[in-house]
Amino acid sequence: MMLYIVRHGETDWNREHKVQGRTDIPLNDYGRRLARETAEGMKDIPIDLCFTSPLLRAKETAQIILEGRNVPLCDEERIQEISFGRYEGLYCGGENQDPESEAFNRFFHDTGNYIPPEDAETIPQLYGRTGSFLKEISERADLADKNILVSTHGAAMTSLLNRIRGNLSVEHFWKDEVPPNCSVTMVEIKDRKAQIVKEGMIFYKEKVKKWKTV
């Protein structure tokens, strides 16, 4: 089994440095362009099945990448983005930073001391549900010889890749940084064991934008 794990394209909230989480924000035109260029770069890779977060930005990214192909799309809630509760909609960077941005930005810069709001999700909870998804598909005999697109989000993708690396640390969650929009990582699953084959592939021509909160 080969997984092609992709982070969604850019949204207006990405550009404005607003916290998204479970808030259902669609791609912007630039994000759609990144997805189209990613589709062109992946056009010769056969894809048998797609698991996508049900959130619009991930689903639309998958639809653009797979446009013109007869590939089933399966909504999978376990790979949707981490919930930030009341922090969602917060300006966490740029000139318009909200007063609570410092507390939220610990999620990126001091993850071990990040305290999620009561209505949010913890990183161990994120590790748990994404790990459940990975374990389930790894054990499915009907998927053993398939190429699968997994369309997800920055923190959810990092959670999946950290588990494959054997790192379930909260403190070092972002050791390998936030995956860029529309970056693709290949993961091979053989005998129920997952291994990263190639990480952070970029198929578009634009300079890769790294997430910044300041």
Side-chain angles (χ1 to χ4, degrees):
M1 183 191 311
M2 192 70 76
L3 305 182
Y4 294 85
I5 306 176
V6 60
R7 183 188 173 202
H8 62 80
E10 186 187 80
T11 71
D12 284 343
W13 279 27
N14 287 147
R15 180 167 291 188
E16 296 167 7
H17 300 287
K18 291 178 72 172
V19 180
Q20 284 184 124
R22 298 282 179 82
T23 306
D24 208 1
I25 306 301
L27 298 180
N28 59 23
D29 288 341
Y30 179 74
R32 294 183 185 101
R33 190 173 88 200
L34 296 186
R36 286 194 296 270
E37 291 185 28
T38 301
E40 176 65 20
M42 296 182 68
K43 67 181 181 181
D44 294 327
I45 300 173
I47 301 293
D48 302 296
L49 177 66
C50 173
F51 291 103
T52 178
S53 158
L55 297 176
L56 285 172
R57 56 193 186 271
K59 183 176 283 189
E60 188 176 4
T61 299
Q63 290 168 337
I64 292 171
I65 291 174
L66 298 173
E67 187 175 0
R69 305 197 200 196
N70 186 23
V71 176
L73 266 68
C74 303
D75 282 6
E76 176 52 72
E77 292 189 354
R78 288 174 293 181
I79 58 172
Q80 65 183 323
E81 188 56 299
I82 189 170
S83 169
F84 294 114
R86 64 181 173 82
Y87 285 160
E88 294 184 12
L90 190 81
Y91 284 94
C92 62
E95 297 178 356
N96 299 315
Q97 286 195 50
D98 287 311
E100 286 188 301
S101 63
E102 184 177 350
F104 167 76
N105 283 336
R106 291 194 188 100
F107 178 72
F108 292 105
H109 302 309
D110 187 15
T111 316
N113 291 312
Y114 168 71
I115 301 173
E118 291 181 2
D119 57 346
E121 188 176 19
T122 66
I123 289 176
Q125 287 171 328
L126 175 65
Y127 274 137
R129 61 175 169 84
T130 55
S132 168
F133 164 75
L134 187 64
K135 182 176 185 292
E136 181 181 304
I137 64 170
S138 298
E139 294 175 349
R140 283 183 54 176
D142 61 316
L143 301 181
D145 61 348
K146 304 298 184 185
N147 286 347
I148 300 171
L149 182 70
V150 178
S151 187
T152 183
H153 307 262
M157 182 172 180
T158 298
S159 177
L160 285 166
L161 298 181
N162 281 353
R163 180 170 289 277
I164 293 167
R165 295 184 189 103
N167 166 32
L168 293 183
S169 164
V170 171
E171 181 182 0
H172 301 294
F173 185 81
W174 295 113
K175 180 181 177 183
D176 296 277
E177 299 188 336
V178 183
N181 291 114
C182 278
S183 65
V184 181
T185 292
M186 291 175 60
V187 172
E188 183 179 30
I189 298 178
K190 190 173 183 180
D191 298 327
R192 300 184 180 182
K193 294 181 180 178
Q195 180 178 357
I196 296 172
V197 176
K198 194 168 184 180
E199 188 168 0
M201 293 185 293
I202 299 295
F203 294 101
Y204 47 86
K205 301 178 182 66
E206 290 83 353
K207 183 178 179 180
V208 174
K209 294 181 180 180
K210 292 190 176 181
W211 173 257
K212 293 181 180 179
T213 55
V214 294

